[in-house]
Amino acid sequence: MPRIYRLSANYQPPHDWLNTSEEEYLSCSRLDLCRCLATVGSPSLLSLERIRMHGFARTLYESIFEKMAMVMVNVRSAGRDLRRHAIFDSYVSDKKRIISYNLGMALAKFYSQELLDIPHLIHVETLKKQNAVTFIAQTGTVRPREPDLVGQTSEGDWHIFEAKGVSGSTGQLPGKIADAKIQVNQVSAIQNSSPSTRNACASYIGADRILTLLEDPPSDAEKSIAVETGKFLKAYYAPYFLADQIEGVIRRSLRMEGRSFEAIELRSGNQKLTIGLDTEVLSAISSSTSDFPGQVRIKLRTEDLPERAQYSIGPDGVLLQYEASS
């Protein structure tokens, strides 16, 4: 399995074990990053209004297929490491920034699930569109920038993330991590308690390797976040609930790794993308089960999954399977 690398600092107990003195690696496939980007994404384009205007296939293509392409085209596996594809260097600077930003979020999502047991990490703008989050006003006349991402662990603890991505050199990372720290510092409380971590996350998508800096700075800000947990989960799994309301979507049931999934199929040219959701997870969401985060952990964290070449299953119960014919 290919590798990505991290350096972490300033994490306090009980998360101080994350701090590193040298680069450490985690195994990560391209499809793992695709799944992460498809679930965390930039502010979601998914809405019933947009589907009715442009059709379900086009809407899903823009919000998921294009994110898939960002990974599959611009990241390659060479030797033991994931790294930037040479095609990336031919892009204009604006396109490089967009791709780096999205890959930075995918990497933040991957680290959140692997290091902090966060199955659900979602973009704040998506929560706003679902009326699932409220930023309680702070004093002062200047509106600071808010962090990108908020997530909840299997135990119900809340975490904040700000994700950055660069491609020029590792020398850009200190500046980006400083900027990310300013944004995560804006949140003092979530659900009336201090976040378990405020993660400033800056990733270098390099031609030699992918390296992420992670820091957990303290906060002296006044801003507080209130999240409606039920709406949080519905926003996270929006594609599946929207798919149930649209006619003509290809649906099928399948089994993978001994688990049952309800899936939808998307096709674009010679590409087929299957997005599935574990049936027990789907049932828990639909019934608004109060201990849902714990159920995800029990369901998906009790087994070590074997290496997967063409599909990826996350701790959120999401399956992503990708096929492309020549």
Side-chain angles (χ1 to χ4, degrees):
M1 180 77 77
R3 299 174 173 184
I4 57 176
Y5 297 83
R6 71 175 177 98
L7 284 168
S8 306
N10 297 326
Y11 283 86
Q12 303 302 310
H15 301 104
D16 54 325
W17 66 270
L18 291 171
N19 297 325
T20 60
S21 57
E22 58 185 22
E23 293 182 14
E24 295 187 358
Y25 71 86
L26 285 176
S27 297
C28 177
S29 70
R30 288 197 303 167
L31 210 56
D32 287 333
L33 288 185
C34 287
R35 175 180 50 76
C36 287
L37 187 54
T39 50
V40 73
S42 52
S44 177
L45 299 173
L46 292 170
S47 69
L48 278 177
E49 180 182 5
R50 189 173 181 87
I51 289 171
R52 286 168 181 151
M53 288 176 60
H54 304 293
F56 185 76
R58 177 178 170 184
T59 301
L60 265 290
Y61 177 84
E62 291 175 345
S63 60
I64 294 180
F65 254 114
E66 289 184 354
K67 293 188 179 80
M68 285 273 301
M70 284 186 182
V71 176
M72 301 303 284
V73 172
N74 295 290
V75 176
R76 68 188 180 104
S77 176
R80 64 181 184 177
D81 298 332
L82 285 184
R83 59 189 70 187
R84 187 178 76 227
H85 196 285
I87 195 173
F88 182 93
D89 299 320
S90 66
Y91 300 149
V92 298
S93 58
D94 284 350
K95 186 172 183 179
K96 289 180 179 179
R97 280 194 294 270
I98 292 170
I99 293 170
S100 296
Y101 169 72
N102 278 274
L103 292 178
M105 281 198 297
L107 289 160
K109 163 72 172 176
F110 183 80
Y111 281 116
S112 76
Q113 70 182 36
E114 295 298 318
L115 299 178
L116 291 167
D117 186 29
I118 301 173
H120 307 104
L121 188 72
I122 190 169
H123 204 288
V124 167
E125 290 301 319
T126 300
L127 293 177
K128 286 180 178 179
K129 289 180 181 180
Q130 300 286 335
N131 295 317
V133 64
T134 301
F135 281 84
I136 300 170
Q138 64 188 90
T139 59
T141 58
V142 178
R143 181 186 177 190
R145 292 177 299 163
E146 297 160 349
D148 279 340
L149 309 164
V150 61
Q152 188 180 33
T153 69
S154 299
E155 303 300 329
D157 298 325
W158 292 94
H159 297 254
I160 303 295
F161 271 79
E162 173 60 29
K164 306 290 185 184
V166 298
S167 60
S169 72
T170 54
Q172 295 175 278
L173 289 177
K176 288 295 183 181
I177 202 78
D179 193 28
K181 286 163 68 174
I182 291 172
Q183 288 178 252
V184 294
N185 275 339
Q186 300 306 319
V187 177
S188 62
I190 182 167
Q191 305 300 74
N192 298 316
S193 298
S194 180
S196 294
T197 60
R198 300 176 182 86
N199 301 271
C201 181
S203 297
Y204 164 64
I205 298 94
D208 56 341
R209 72 197 190 290
I210 292 175
L211 171 66
T212 301
L213 299 188
L214 294 151
E215 289 197 33
D216 178 15
S219 175
D220 56 4
E222 301 175 12
K223 181 173 286 189
S224 179
I225 301 176
V227 178
E228 292 191 41
T229 305
K231 288 185 177 180
F232 174 86
L233 293 173
K234 291 292 179 79
Y236 186 89
Y237 293 105
Y240 307 96
F241 292 98
L242 289 173
D244 286 341
Q245 303 177 56
I246 304 299
E247 296 294 329
V249 176
I250 300 174
R251 301 175 177 86
R252 66 188 180 99
S253 300
L254 58 93
R255 288 189 63 81
M256 196 81 70
E257 304 288 354
R259 301 181 177 91
S260 298
F261 293 85
E262 292 299 320
I264 58 175
E265 288 186 1
L266 306 173
R267 293 179 182 271
S268 177
N270 67 341
Q271 301 175 90
K272 184 177 80 170
L273 184 65
T274 301
I275 305 172
L277 184 59
D278 182 279
T279 54
E280 290 191 15
V281 173
L282 180 59
S283 176
I285 304 164
S286 301
S287 62
S288 300
T289 305
S290 59
D291 63 346
F292 169 67
Q295 286 190 346
V296 173
R297 184 175 188 274
I298 292 169
K299 177 66 182 173
L300 294 170
R301 285 294 196 182
T302 53
E303 299 179 32
D304 291 326
L305 300 178
E307 181 174 341
R308 302 177 297 276
Q310 294 185 325
Y311 63 93
S312 175
I313 302 172
D316 50 6
V318 172
L319 162 74
L320 195 84
Q321 186 175 25
Y322 177 74
E323 300 175 49
S325 57
S326 57

